[in-house]
Amino acid sequence: MPTNFTVVPVDDGRKSSQEDSDDNNVLKEEDEETIGDGNPRESSPFINNADDDKGTLYDGKNMALFEEEMDSNPMVSSLLNKLANYTNLTQGVREHEEADEDEGAKKQTVKSPQMGTFIGVYLPCLQNILGVILFLRMTWIVGTAGILESFIIVSMCCSCTMLTAISMSAIATNGVVPAGGSYYMISRSLGPEFGGAVGLCFYLGTTFAGAMYILGTIEILLTYIVPSAAIFKAEEKAQEADALLNNMRVYGTCCLTLMALVVFVGVKYVNKLALVFLACVVLSILAIYAGVIKTIFEPPIFPVCLLGNRTLQNHGFDKCMKTEIIDNVTVTTKLWSLFCKGPELNASCNEYFTLNNVTEIQGIPGLTSGVISENMWGSYGPAGMLVEKAMPSVPASDASQDKHMPYVVNDITAFFTLLVGIYFPSVTGIMAGSNRSGDLRDAQRSIPIGTILAIATTTIIYLSCVVMFGACIEGVLLRDKFGDSVKGNLVIGTLSWPSPWVIVIGSFFSCCGAGLQSLTGAPRLLQAIARDGIVPFLEVFGHGKANGEPTWALLLTAVICESGILIASLDAVAPILSMFFLMCYLFVNLACALQTLLRTPNWRPRFKYYHWTLSFLGMSLCLALMFISSWYYALVAMLIAGCIYKYIEYRGAEKEWGDGIRGLSLNAARYALIRLEEAPPHTKNWRPQLLVLLNLDSELSVKHPRLLSFTTQLKAGKGLTIVGSVLEGTFLSRESDAKRAEQSIKSAMASEKTKGFCHVVVSSNLRDGFSHLIQSAGLGGMKHNSVLMAWPTNWKQSSDPQSWKNFIETIRETTAAHQALLVAKNVDSFPHQERLAEGTIDVWWIVHDGGLLMLLPFLLQQHKVWRKCKMRIFTVAQLDDNSIQMKKDLQMFLYHLRLNAEVEVVEMHDSDISAFTYEKTLVMEQRSQMLKQMQLSRTEREREAQLIHDRNTASHAALNDKADVSPERVHMTWTKDKFCTERNRNRDHSANMAVRDLFSMKP
């Protein structure tokens, strides 16, 4: 019966040399591919690792067979020890800290990862998910949207992160999880393009999250802790919003500077406060639940003053009444002076104040009060709308002065989609556990379990908060964003026990800690991307201090964070970072779904709860939330992510990480090739798919590189281009030459910006090699249909006839393969990269070729070199053709082809026809003689050439004599009889002579 056991390292001072040898053998293969931080050597983001660290991972340890054999601390003390050493920083950050403490000295030991699921994943995710939105905006969202719609908002956002966490768990269980955080895990699994796009979106989201946390910190400070510290003060109520924004900008910039300095000096200070920040979050949540339970028995006293049905700001008065009786004398209160022009009873007062009574209600009626039914539905409205309770009141005839009265109003226009964008940042932070992958004892197990449990826990907390807030707090107080109706108290703090200050102080330190962690993590994420080299212009941000601290990345992060702080509104910054996080989650779900659907070879996740439908649903939900939150932010985020993806694909350094997207590309290519085989291409889809035949010199360099330049101008990187060449010999003897020739051709293609494939064939002779290329180049439906080659140079003067023989045989092979042939004569004179300022591309369309001659100049005009050239079409009208009608028909033909070209019709005399016939005859004769020369000796070839020369001279003389008696140009006004007579007469004398000469030729 098999027994499950675990091999774990335990400390042991007794270690023999034999154990040393065994341990080193065990770690040898791993150490050859990794460095001290556990990252692959070519992608490690840390520079303070050395090869001397090899073999030290298990120094001083034995390999215990069973966990029971280990000497361990009791459970309680072990847990307390781990909590005391808790840190929310990644492994790389702590290594930088240790290097800084050791003043750059090389480390002698490397601690093995010891963190489990609870400490390593669950608590960091919990701390990052629960944050500023819960403390500052959750009550306002519930009051504005109502319980039902708030429930929908929370459910959608939490479902999105849960589905993304499931996809991320599939990535984490698809092979070994590398150290270095979520970026390394995703990029090594999904490839540099997806990894870079996800990484940069995650970086921007984390940076703007830092701005949001800093704004939350300043809002808590200036609104609830020290309101008197405000630098800008409003003299009128209408100026309060502007004054608050200016204060947020000034204090936010100062806070950002201070936090950046702390991170720059050393992250060890952030590390030491990690447990404090975690305790603040946990204690604040517990205080809320304790306060809700206490409302059942003894609701807290937080009265809200109403004038009619309008909520009043409770800052300038103590008693919610217009008048009071003191010593049997009726006197006015401070509230009276806020609405009247004087404290006298007969003073002129605001009309609405005069018509309505003042009432006082409890802001926290309690869990059993039944207020939940009033808060079930939403109450949206524009900016400046009064916060009113559903009760009768007497309206005033003039409402123009209401904006100057101390009413609680909406500071922004509220609607459902805006609330989604503001709330979504409260469910981010799900990658905090995967960021610590190098610190985890079993990352493949801890990341899925810890992340999903953290999301489930926070989902329960958020949904229960929606119900608790709606059931315990009065609706007008819920919609009071800044607690003006309860003397400036934090609304969620009024519900807490034992004091509102528990939530105020806890949320303040929680926001401070989250801001510091964002400024700590974002620069290192950027540094990791820069050191991977996939985005060339970011390489400067891979450098830093001697201990690896990312100085330049921290500077860029602070600049981007400052741009968010200058916005100065938490409600405006939250949708921005929502877009970047949603785009990040969208890429993760999309890549996982595609790899599963197309059965990528190296995509084998072991997470048993994963299915591609979950990734597809998560992707759809991410996309929906993006456009629900803000359609214009969504478009901007998609544009940024798309540009990053295409830039990495086009300019980024080539990386081979064994990622799934490479396998995805292979499957997609196979699928497309099979589809192409199902039916022949339609005429509308026909384009020249080129096989470019190159000749190489003795140094294996390309003889005519302008042929590749012309190919680039003709294809513009679209369609199929195969560049082929032939080496004479056998493959066994010239294998290295073939590789060098292939590299030479690829270099020439890169310099000429020719996109395509390279194929070098080794054959016994050039003729057979080119024949093999014409027959076998390409794969399936992706085969060439056109052959491009250069005209042989100096073939007349060459003593070796093999050059023009190979040329002729290549023509024959191409014709036999039913492929188009393009021969570029004087190709070295073709334009290179310089743009032609003007010119024409002339096409002599004499024989109908299916439209290829029309298509070639059109394709050339699409390139920047030929874009300013005009296209001219020349066609020939014979004696019995109507040239005017031909021109009209050709123009209509070009119009249907959507080609812009000038049309010229050249009319021929009978003498022109005869000349054309004679020229054609001479060409055919020369071609036949050229073929015949293959069997003639050198002397015979010279004698035959002389005979051809004499015959050509006689033919031209006869043609010139005949041209003197040729008729004048045919005019369209001739009669039919005259036209037929002239045609028959000329046909008898000239055409018949040409026909006789044609039949008298030798084959």
Side-chain angles (χ1 to χ4, degrees):
M1 180 176 178
T3 303
N4 295 328
F5 61 88
T6 305
V7 177
V8 292
V10 298
D11 294 336
D12 185 15
R14 299 168 301 172
K15 179 176 178 182
S16 65
S17 59
Q18 179 65 34
E19 290 171 337
D20 288 339
S21 175
D22 293 340
D23 289 346
N24 290 333
N25 289 335
V26 169
L27 298 174
K28 180 178 180 182
E29 181 179 353
E30 248 182 342
D31 288 340
E32 287 178 352
E33 297 178 3
T34 61
I35 55 180
D37 58 358
N39 292 325
R41 181 177 303 280
E42 53 90 21
S43 59
S44 174
F46 310 121
I47 65 174
N48 60 336
N49 297 288
D51 293 341
D52 295 338
D53 294 335
K54 292 183 179 180
T56 61
L57 180 61
Y58 290 90
D59 286 351
K61 300 180 186 300
N62 279 332
M63 305 304 291
L65 186 62
F66 299 98
E67 284 193 36
E68 288 78 8
E69 298 178 10
M70 293 189 300
D71 293 330
S72 58
N73 296 327
M75 284 293 294
V76 176
S77 62
S78 177
L79 177 63
L80 293 177
N81 181 51
K82 290 179 180 179
L83 284 175
N85 296 321
Y86 172 79
T87 171
N88 198 29
L89 304 179
T90 60
Q91 181 188 25
V93 177
R94 290 188 295 104
E95 286 185 355
H96 293 165
E97 174 193 336
E98 292 169 5
D100 191 38
E101 289 177 348
D102 297 340
E103 296 181 356
K106 187 177 296 184
K107 292 178 294 181
Q108 298 300 320
T109 60
V110 178
K111 296 180 181 179
S112 60
Q114 291 298 326
M115 286 191 177
T117 303
F118 183 75
I119 300 294
V121 181
Y122 180 78
L123 288 182
C125 287
L126 203 69
Q127 180 181 352
N128 279 265
I129 294 174
L130 299 172
V132 60
I133 300 297
L134 171 64
F135 299 125
L136 296 184
R137 293 293 182 268
M138 195 65 189
T139 54
W140 174 72
I141 291 174
V142 174
T144 304
I147 296 176
L148 290 181
E149 292 185 25
S150 299
F151 209 87
I152 294 173
I153 292 173
V154 173
S155 300
M156 286 195 306
C157 296
C158 292
S159 299
C160 177
T161 54
M162 178 63 79
L163 293 171
T164 303
I166 292 174
S167 296
M168 199 171 65
S169 300
I171 296 174
T173 57
N174 183 45
V176 178
V177 179
S182 56
Y183 163 69
Y184 276 87
M185 185 179 70
I186 293 171
S187 62
R188 269 54 179 176
S189 180
L190 305 183
E193 294 87 359
F194 272 107
V198 170
L200 285 176
C201 286
F202 189 42
Y203 164 74
L204 292 173
T206 305
T207 304
F208 276 101
M212 182 187 71
Y213 291 128
I214 291 174
L215 290 174
T217 302
I218 302 306
E219 182 176 315
I220 295 172
L221 178 69
L222 296 181
T223 307
Y224 307 111
I225 299 179
V226 193
S228 60
I231 299 175
F232 301 92
K233 300 183 183 295
E235 297 180 358
E236 298 180 1
K237 183 183 177 182
Q239 300 175 351
E240 289 179 356
D242 294 335
L244 177 62
L245 295 179
N246 291 329
N247 286 317
M248 297 282 281
R249 293 186 181 103
V250 173
Y251 277 96
T253 303
C254 296
C255 184
L256 172 63
T257 304
L258 180 61
M259 288 184 176
L261 286 175
V262 171
V263 174
F264 177 77
V265 170
V267 295
K268 57 185 177 182
Y269 303 110
V270 183
N271 188 17
K272 294 181 185 301
L273 294 173
L275 185 60
V276 177
F277 300 146
L278 175 64
C280 290
V281 174
V282 174
L283 291 177
S284 299
I285 299 296
L286 294 178
I288 294 172
Y289 279 96
V292 171
I293 296 174
K294 184 175 180 294
T295 61
I296 300 176
F297 313 102
E298 184 183 352
I301 306 301
F302 284 98
V304 176
C305 187
L306 301 179
L307 176 61
N309 64 348
R310 300 176 180 179
T311 310
L312 297 177
Q313 294 183 357
N314 194 359
H315 290 299
F317 59 93
D318 298 324
K319 299 178 181 179
C320 185
M321 55 182 64
K322 295 182 181 181
T323 60
E324 60 179 337
I325 300 175
I326 299 177
D327 297 332
N328 295 326
V329 178
T330 302
V331 296
T332 59
T333 62
K334 292 182 179 180
L335 179 62
W336 180 281
S337 60
L338 293 176
F339 286 88
C340 302
K341 293 183 179 180
E344 299 81 10
L345 291 173
N346 58 355
S348 175
C349 296
N350 179 268
E351 181 183 2
Y352 188 85
F353 180 77
T354 305
L355 296 175
N356 292 272
N357 294 324
V358 174
T359 55
E360 189 175 70
I361 62 174
Q362 282 300 320
I364 311 293
L367 194 62
T368 58
S369 62
V371 74
I372 186 172
S373 59
E374 300 178 8
N375 297 331
M376 195 65 67
W377 309 106
S379 178
Y380 301 104
M385 187 186 79
L386 302 177
V387 175
E388 299 176 336
K389 183 176 174 60
M391 56 185 294
S393 66
V394 181
S397 59
D398 183 14
S400 60
Q401 297 299 317
D402 289 346
K403 60 183 179 181
H404 302 291
M405 298 294 107
Y407 296 123
V408 177
V409 298
N410 289 349
D411 63 325
I412 59 172
T413 301
F415 44 90
F416 178 79
T417 57
L418 175 69
L419 300 185
V420 175
I422 293 175
Y423 173 76
F424 188 81
S426 65
V427 298
T428 60
I430 63 173
M431 294 187 179
S434 60
N435 285 339
R436 310 159 64 85
S437 56
D439 302 328
L440 300 175
R441 192 164 47 237
D442 185 0
Q444 292 192 14
R445 179 178 178 273
S446 296
I447 290 176
I449 295 176
T451 305
I452 291 175
L453 283 179
I455 295 175
T457 303
T458 53
T459 301
I460 294 173
I461 291 174
Y462 282 130
L463 291 176
S464 61
C465 283
V466 168
V467 177
M468 290 188 303
F469 296 161
C472 295
I473 305 177
E474 182 64 44
V476 292
L477 180 56
L478 285 173
R479 298 199 299 275
D480 184 3
K481 182 186 291 185
F482 301 108
D484 292 323
S485 60
V486 285
K487 296 186 179 296
N489 280 294
L490 182 63
V491 175
I492 195 174
T494 60
L495 189 62
S496 66
W497 180 87
S499 169
W501 285 101
V502 175
I503 298 293
V504 174
I505 301 301
S507 60
F508 177 79
F509 282 108
S510 174
C511 292
C512 285
L516 281 171
Q517 290 160 12
S518 297
L519 291 179
T520 303
R524 283 158 181 81
L525 177 59
L526 181 61
Q527 184 186 44
I529 298 172
R531 287 186 174 175
D532 265 349
I534 59 177
V535 185
F537 69 85
L538 291 179
E539 290 182 359
V540 65
F541 299 106
H543 306 292
K545 295 194 297 185
N547 65 343
E549 284 292 320
T551 307
W552 293 107
L554 176 61
L555 181 61
L556 178 64
T557 302
V559 171
I560 299 176
C561 190
E562 176 64 17
S563 66
I565 290 175
L566 292 179
I567 296 175
S569 173
L570 184 68
D571 303 320
V573 174
I576 297 177
L577 67 98
S578 295
M579 290 304 109
F580 286 116
F581 279 117
L582 281 168
M583 181 56 64
C584 176
Y585 300 161
L586 174 66
F587 269 107
V588 172
N589 286 295
L590 173 62
C592 292
L594 288 178
Q595 290 188 101
T596 308
L597 280 175
L598 298 180
R599 294 185 175 92
T600 301
N602 56 348
W603 177 248
R604 296 182 297 276
R606 292 194 296 272
F607 187 60
K608 62 181 180 179
Y609 299 106
Y610 174 75
H611 194 266
W612 70 268
T613 53
L614 297 177
S615 292
F616 185 79
L617 183 60
M619 178 192 68
S620 304
L621 192 54
C622 287
L623 195 62
L625 286 175
M626 287 177 66
F627 283 93
I628 287 175
S629 301
S630 175
W631 65 268
Y632 45 89
Y633 281 159
L635 293 178
V636 172
M638 294 175 69
L639 179 64
I640 292 174
C643 290
I644 294 171
Y645 183 93
K646 295 305 293 183
Y647 178 81
I648 296 174
E649 184 181 55
Y650 180 69
R651 290 291 303 275
E654 294 183 1
K655 294 288 182 182
E656 184 53 55
W657 292 328
D659 53 86
I661 300 302
R662 292 293 180 267
L664 178 63
S665 301
L666 178 62
N667 275 353
R670 180 188 61 83
Y671 176 77
L673 287 173
I674 293 175
R675 287 293 304 271
L676 287 175
E677 284 287 289
E678 294 178 357
H682 193 272
T683 307
K684 294 180 179 179
N685 296 326
W686 194 95
R687 289 293 184 276
Q689 314 296 345
L690 293 182
L691 170 63
V692 184
L693 300 181
L694 293 180
N695 290 323
L696 303 179
D697 57 19
S698 58
E699 300 295 330
L700 300 181
S701 299
V702 178
K703 280 187 178 181
H704 303 290
R706 290 292 178 90
L707 195 62
L708 294 175
S709 179
F710 177 70
T711 303
T712 302
Q713 297 162 14
L714 188 64
K715 297 292 292 180
K718 299 174 182 176
L720 176 66
T721 301
I722 303 175
V723 181
S725 186
V726 178
L727 299 180
E728 287 189 281
T730 62
F731 183 72
L732 292 178
S733 62
R734 305 204 63 181
E735 177 188 1
S736 59
D737 290 341
K739 292 182 178 179
R740 286 199 300 119
E742 187 171 346
Q743 290 300 322
S744 176
I745 293 175
K746 287 183 178 179
S747 299
M749 292 173 65
S751 61
E752 300 294 339
K753 299 180 180 179
T754 303
K755 294 183 179 180
F757 306 98
C758 177
H759 195 183
V760 176
V761 172
V762 181
S763 180
S764 57
N765 56 74
L766 294 178
R767 177 187 179 280
D768 292 343
F770 285 125
S771 177
H772 295 158
L773 281 174
I774 293 173
Q775 294 178 59
S776 61
L779 178 64
M782 286 294 288
K783 290 183 68 69
H784 63 279
N785 54 28
S786 305
V787 176
L788 173 63
M789 59 190 303
W791 183 273
T793 57
N794 301 324
W795 64 273
K796 290 184 179 181
Q797 291 77 19
S798 177
S799 59
D800 182 14
Q802 198 62 36
S803 62
W804 53 265
K805 288 181 182 179
N806 290 333
F807 177 70
I808 292 175
E809 290 300 328
T810 304
I811 294 176
R812 288 180 167 179
E813 298 280 355
T814 306
T815 305
H818 302 287
Q819 295 174 0
L821 177 65
L822 309 177
V823 181
K825 193 171 184 180
N826 298 327
V827 68
D828 294 330
S829 302
F830 280 29
H832 186 221
Q833 298 294 339
E834 61 276 6
R835 302 188 184 187
L836 300 176
E838 58 182 3
T840 58
I841 305 175
D842 293 341
V843 178
W844 286 85
W845 199 38
I846 298 175
V847 179
H848 183 58
D849 59 348
L852 180 60
L853 278 175
M854 302 286 192
L855 182 61
L856 292 179
F858 169 76
L859 295 177
L860 284 176
Q861 284 182 318
Q862 307 309 306
H863 197 270
K864 61 182 180 180
V865 172
W866 302 84
R867 190 163 293 152
K868 294 185 178 180
C869 294
K870 296 181 179 179
M871 180 178 169
R872 294 192 302 184
I873 307 293
F874 293 89
T875 189
V876 177
Q878 298 184 12
L879 191 63
D880 53 351
D881 292 331
N882 187 336
S883 59
I884 298 177
Q885 187 61 39
M886 280 183 64
K887 186 172 183 178
K888 291 182 179 179
D889 293 342
L890 185 55
Q891 288 174 339
M892 182 59 66
F893 178 66
L894 295 176
Y895 174 78
H896 288 302
L897 291 179
R898 302 183 300 279
L899 295 178
N900 184 20
E902 299 178 7
V903 176
E904 298 290 342
V905 177
V906 180
E907 297 180 351
M908 271 190 165
H909 316 130
D910 279 352
S911 61
D912 296 331
I913 299 174
S914 301
F916 178 74
T917 305
Y918 270 102
E919 291 294 335
K920 186 175 181 181
T921 302
L922 294 176
V923 171
M924 292 177 63
E925 183 177 359
Q926 289 176 354
R927 181 179 176 185
S928 65
Q929 295 301 327
M930 184 183 294
L931 296 176
K932 190 175 181 181
Q933 285 179 7
M934 295 180 184
Q935 291 81 26
L936 296 178
S937 65
R938 186 178 184 86
T939 306
E940 290 174 339
R941 288 201 305 270
E942 292 177 355
R943 185 172 67 253
E944 190 68 22
Q946 183 64 36
L947 291 175
I948 292 174
H949 178 269
D950 296 340
R951 185 166 186 176
N952 287 349
T953 305
S955 299
H956 282 290
L959 179 61
N960 292 334
D961 295 338
K962 183 175 170 356
D964 294 336
V965 297
S966 62
E968 298 294 327
R969 180 178 296 275
V970 178
H971 296 283
M972 302 305 295
T973 56
W974 283 12
T975 62
K976 182 177 180 181
D977 294 339
K978 183 177 180 180
F979 171 74
C980 293
T981 303
E982 288 293 331
R983 183 178 60 182
N984 293 333
R985 183 169 63 84
N986 291 329
R987 184 178 299 167
D988 293 339
H989 294 285
S990 61
N992 291 341
M993 183 183 298
V995 173
R996 285 197 303 272
D997 290 341
L998 182 62
F999 281 101
S1000 65
M1001 285 180 56
K1002 294 180 181 181

